[in-house]
Amino acid sequence: MRLSQIISKFPRFLKAAAALSGTVLLSGCFWLDGPQSTFDPNGPVARRQMDLFYTTCWVSLFIFVVVGAVLAYAMIKFRAKGEADEHAEPPEQAHGNPIVEISLIGASVLALVIIAIPTLSGIWYSYDVPSQDKADAYEITATGYQWWFKFDYPGETAQTLDPTGKIINAPFSTANELVIPAGRPVRIALRTVDVIHSFWIPKLAGKVDMMPNRGNHLWLKSDNPGYYWGQCAEFCGESHAVMRFRVIALGPKEFNDWVNAQVAPARKVASADQTQAKAQFAEYRTFRRNEAGYTSAFDASPLDAWRAKQVPPVTGENPALIQKGRELFSQKTCASCHTIRGDGYIGVVGPELTHVGARSTIAAGLLENNRDQLHRWIHAPNEVKPGNTMWVAGYLANGIKLTPEDEDALVNYLQSLK
Ligand code: CUA
């Protein structure tokens, strides 16, 4: 029988399935480099995880093809060939063939061993920084909250004011944007203050759970400076899907500059003769569900957008409006949950905001950090992230109202915090 004859015997859905999977595989080669793709690793841990995936995939594919081929052969060779066959008695039943059975057991064990060796070595490799690199490792602590991430830098100390107004040194933290040195191993301690979260940066490393009352950790390395997406990978409540973060990997000098900028207390805008921003609350848009929270320009080069956020604007800041926002931050009880070092605010329930104006995103990596998105976030946080603390326990739950003028002052204040 010719091959074309055999193929013509296959039911039509088999041909359709083959065509579909071929298309998916081919398209995968071109489209699998999205921001949360594990097929585009940018560091040794993610690369090892992908290699293991491919090993498992090829072994499984080999088994599938061999078993499928034998099955197809048997189906074609022993099919009913005519009227007589269809009413024939079943062939004589026999017990198994010891050689075939032992060979199958041996093949199964071999397949498991082929998968187990790289799996075990991968588990050991990704568990902790390799011992020869330990001395060079940079330490960070990541803590999961419903629904955002806090990042502490225990090796750095920041300037802050004590209650008497004296400058003291204290650890600093940031939120939702993990800034790391590129080309250096980074060891991240994983904690949670509430439920189980899972820490995952698809292009660098993960997933490792953040467990209540248990210390976990992982390590990663970014080969080059870059901008990566992170995501909580364990269901943790109604806004789990929007519990994201961003990772910014920087070269040694740029990373050092960033740390120096972070340890400084909050920026103050001098009332010099600058071009002052007009109040622009009338221009803000309301939030529409499922709308992308960032512009296409930001999406195209987020690292450049992040760099641009580090530099204070030369013009367009309104010191009086910013000062009003600074006062409202306390009057409207924002300060009970947020720390702004240097402005006397020491809340710890929500993210530290000392340099929030220098982040490229807000609302746990969900929205681009610009005036419009920040206004939406302050104006209707529950539209952006259902169930968040500002809504269930913060100023909205306590019936505190913000007028458009208040919101505009707060936006100007927070954007000034470079
Ligand atoms: Cu945190 Cu899902």
Side-chain angles (χ1 to χ4, degrees):
M1 187 185 281
R2 284 213 311 270
L3 185 66
S4 58
Q5 284 175 296
I6 295 175
I7 290 173
S8 70
K9 306 276 181 196
F10 276 91
R12 196 175 290 169
F13 80 88
L14 271 182
K15 282 194 253 179
L20 183 69
S21 51
T23 311
V24 169
L25 279 173
L26 279 177
S27 63
C29 301
F30 302 108
W31 295 336
L32 285 180
D33 62 346
Q36 300 210 64
S37 173
T38 51
F39 291 93
D40 180 28
N42 282 258
V45 178
R47 208 170 294 118
R48 180 69 79 99
Q49 289 172 331
M50 189 184 70
D51 290 347
L52 178 58
F53 169 80
Y54 274 125
T55 305
T56 313
C57 201
W58 291 129
V59 170
S60 306
L61 188 68
F62 176 76
I63 293 170
F64 174 78
V65 168
V66 169
V67 173
V70 172
L71 179 65
Y73 172 81
M75 283 167 70
I76 294 163
K77 166 110 179 161
F78 300 108
R79 74 194 188 282
K81 291 189 180 90
E83 190 76 2
D85 276 357
E86 276 171 28
H87 303 291
E89 289 296 316
E92 194 189 330
Q93 302 297 298
H95 287 288
N97 180 326
I99 295 174
V100 171
E101 285 182 6
I102 290 169
S103 309
L104 284 177
I105 292 169
S108 307
V109 170
L110 184 68
L112 288 177
V113 169
I114 291 172
I115 292 174
I117 291 171
T119 301
L120 288 172
S121 82
I123 288 172
W124 283 314
Y125 180 74
S126 62
Y127 180 71
D128 210 343
V129 184
S131 49
Q132 71 272 18
D133 295 334
K134 273 234 163 77
D136 190 36
Y138 191 82
E139 302 262 348
I140 294 171
T141 300
T143 308
Y145 289 69
Q146 284 173 314
W147 292 273
W148 60 281
F149 292 92
K150 177 184 176 196
F151 302 114
D152 289 288
Y153 289 70
E156 318 290 347
T157 48
Q159 296 168 1
T160 189
L161 296 176
D162 77 355
T164 66
K166 201 170 67 156
I167 291 180
I168 55 167
N169 284 331
F172 89 83
S173 77
T174 180
N176 301 322
E177 292 202 346
L178 173 62
V179 180
I180 58 169
R184 239 178 109 175
V186 178
R187 190 179 190 277
I188 305 176
L190 301 170
R191 306 283 184 267
T192 172
V193 296
D194 38 52
V195 300
I196 301 175
H197 304 276
S198 179
F199 190 80
W200 187 35
I201 308 154
K203 297 195 179 198
L204 294 180
K207 313 158 180 174
V208 177
D209 277 0
M210 303 167 127
M211 306 281 286
N213 301 317
R214 182 196 157 108
N216 270 355
H217 60 82
L218 60 68
W219 79 279
L220 53 83
K221 185 158 101 175
S222 172
D223 296 330
N224 297 300
Y227 189 100
Y228 309 103
W229 289 42
Q231 167 77 47
C232 174
E234 174 81 36
F235 180 72
C236 56
E238 61 185 315
S239 278
H240 153 72
V242 289
M243 182 173 172
R244 301 176 191 173
F245 62 106
R246 307 291 176 118
V247 179
I248 295 106
L250 302 173
K253 176 173 186 309
E254 206 177 6
F255 180 73
N256 207 36
D257 290 348
W258 177 82
V259 170
N260 287 337
Q262 291 292 308
V263 298
R267 173 172 170 260
K268 299 285 189 298
V269 177
S271 50
D273 53 340
Q274 293 162 321
T275 318
Q276 297 197 344
K278 292 198 195 78
Q280 52 169 246
F281 47 84
E283 293 168 25
Y284 291 132
R285 295 171 297 143
T286 50
F287 194 84
R288 290 199 306 278
R289 247 170 221 285
N290 297 325
E291 182 178 329
Y294 41 82
T295 59
S296 49
F298 171 74
D299 202 23
S301 64
L303 186 58
D304 289 339
W306 182 88
R307 285 184 172 128
K309 297 296 285 182
Q310 308 308 303
V311 189
V314 181
T315 58
E317 292 190 295
N318 184 333
L321 200 55
I322 289 169
Q323 180 54 30
K324 187 186 167 204
R326 186 177 284 117
E327 287 158 14
L328 285 169
F329 198 81
S330 163
Q331 289 163 14
K332 301 292 180 182
T333 68
C334 316
S336 357
C337 295
H338 296 283
T339 289
I340 298 182
R341 283 181 286 110
D343 285 357
Y345 304 142
I346 51 169
V348 292
V349 175
E352 170 159 345
L353 300 178
T354 309
H355 299 285
V356 67
R359 293 178 199 153
S360 59
T361 56
I362 47 172
L366 187 64
L367 305 176
E368 181 181 346
N369 186 12
N370 57 36
R371 304 168 72 91
D372 190 29
Q373 300 291 357
L374 181 58
H375 179 262
R376 290 163 156 195
W377 179 221
I378 292 173
H379 179 73
N382 213 47
E383 288 288 304
V384 177
K385 192 179 286 188
N388 82 91
T389 308
M390 283 195 276
W391 177 263
V392 298
Y395 71 96
L396 287 160
N398 289 301
I400 292 164
K401 296 275 189 299
L402 299 174
T403 65
E405 291 82 355
D406 292 345
E407 288 171 353
D408 192 49
L410 283 166
V411 166
N412 275 276
Y413 170 49
L414 293 171
Q415 289 289 299
S416 79
L417 298 173
K418 294 289 181 183

